[in-house]
Amino acid sequence: MRQLSLGLCAALTLSGVAVAQEPATRPDVLPDWLRQPTRSQLMAVFPTKALEKGLDGEATLGCKVSLQGALFECIVLSEKPSDMGFGQAAIALTPQFLMKPAMKDGKPVVSGVRIPISFQGLGTPTGSLLPGGRDLMTRRFLGRPLWAEAPSHAETAAAYPEKAAAEGLGGSATIRCALTEYGRLRACTTLSETPRGYGFAKAARSLSERFVLAPAPDDVELRGVETQYMVTFAPEMLDPDRRVIGKPQWTQLPSSGSVADGYPAAARAKGISGARVVLHCVVGTGGTVQDCQVRSEEPAEFGFGQAALALAPHFRLSVWTEQGLPTVGGRVTLPIRYQLPPETISTPNAEAKGGPEG
């Protein structure tokens, strides 16, 4: 493990980053910092309850670093105190971090990092007000939004800053916005931009009208809530044949009943209890998977490929990734594993365990 020294303002202290890799996949060059949160960005997510009581805190995150240097799949490993919200505050900060990705054999690779974060507040209780009179109780922040709509790959590529595109330069920007009661974005401002001077923030803000929050429960009031999104502009996305989408999350998967109902009868009759199919699909509007093709199926002669294609309408992906990349218009590989208990393969209504791997 490697400790990285970080020079940050007094309000936010990161004591170091430990990089853990299996020996076989350990990169030649470990990730390093390009951008860290500012004091104002920390205060924007500092837990209201802790500020009111004048409490400091700390949290440790475990994250992955993408090929573009963004943090994703972050989880809270520890937080102190445990009931003040410092873990979720740390998660909300993750779009403000940017790293040089790890390198192996001269190419960027995904790596893992462990980030301890120390929050230091105002030192004294604030009651319900921040200095300047802002009412903390009216400031609500949604740190990990789930989008029903987001810019497509084509729309993101079209917004790519002209100067950066001409130089083959990548960049990113994080944008903070207020939510309307209908889950749309307004009053957007730039939180961070890397590198500066190329128009990445302006390009990211131009995409704001394409984001729509997933429907919230009827009793959740969105008015007055703020959120943020990150856009990563990767040079590869300028090539129509290289649809960079990062790692999307599944928002809908087939039920075990759907898998069982489609289990090929010929396979049951022959006592085949398992199979593996790989589909290549295009991500459509709303994160649906479309235009799927069977790239492999094992065993190949019992109809598992057609069964997997019939399951495609039951899959849905996030329309925007934690790495700040679009998914709609991109292509995904969908490995599906079928597995029936051997003692049930002759039973017509047997329960199947199946779905995408990983």
Side-chain angles (χ1 to χ4, degrees), residues 205-325:
R205 288 197 307 273
S206 74
L207 297 171
S208 64
E209 64 182 20
R210 301 296 302 133
F211 287 91
V212 180
L213 197 68
D218 293 338
D219 59 346
V220 174
E221 175 60 54
L222 293 178
R223 190 189 301 273
V225 176
E226 295 179 339
T227 192
Q228 64 188 17
Y229 65 90
M230 178 175 65
V231 182
T232 296
F233 293 95
E236 296 86 351
M237 66 173 50
L238 297 172
D239 183 347
D241 295 325
R242 300 178 69 185
R243 302 291 180 96
V244 182
I245 67 172
K247 187 175 181 181
Q249 302 295 312
W250 293 107
T251 61
Q252 179 181 307
L253 295 171
S255 66
S256 59
S258 298
V259 179
D261 290 343
Y263 203 94
R268 290 182 186 272
K270 290 291 187 178
I272 305 298
S273 62
R276 185 177 186 271
V277 179
V278 176
L279 302 181
H280 281 200
C281 307
V282 174
V283 183
T285 302
T288 57
V289 293
Q290 304 172 353
D291 301 328
C292 295
Q293 298 179 348
V294 178
R295 288 303 174 92
S296 67
E297 59 178 312
E298 300 176 3
E301 64 269 23
F302 295 101
F304 284 106
Q306 288 302 310
L309 288 172
L311 287 175
H314 297 277
F315 289 94
R316 191 177 292 265
L317 299 120
S318 58
V319 295
W320 198 256
T321 69
E322 290 186 67
Q323 301 100 302
L325 292 165

Side-chain angles (χ1 to χ4, degrees), residues 168-188:
L169 181 69
S172 67
T174 300
I175 309 300
R176 188 176 182 115
C177 307
L179 284 166
T180 71
E181 59 183 313
Y182 304 107
R184 292 187 174 274
L185 302 180
R186 64 176 184 84
C188 296

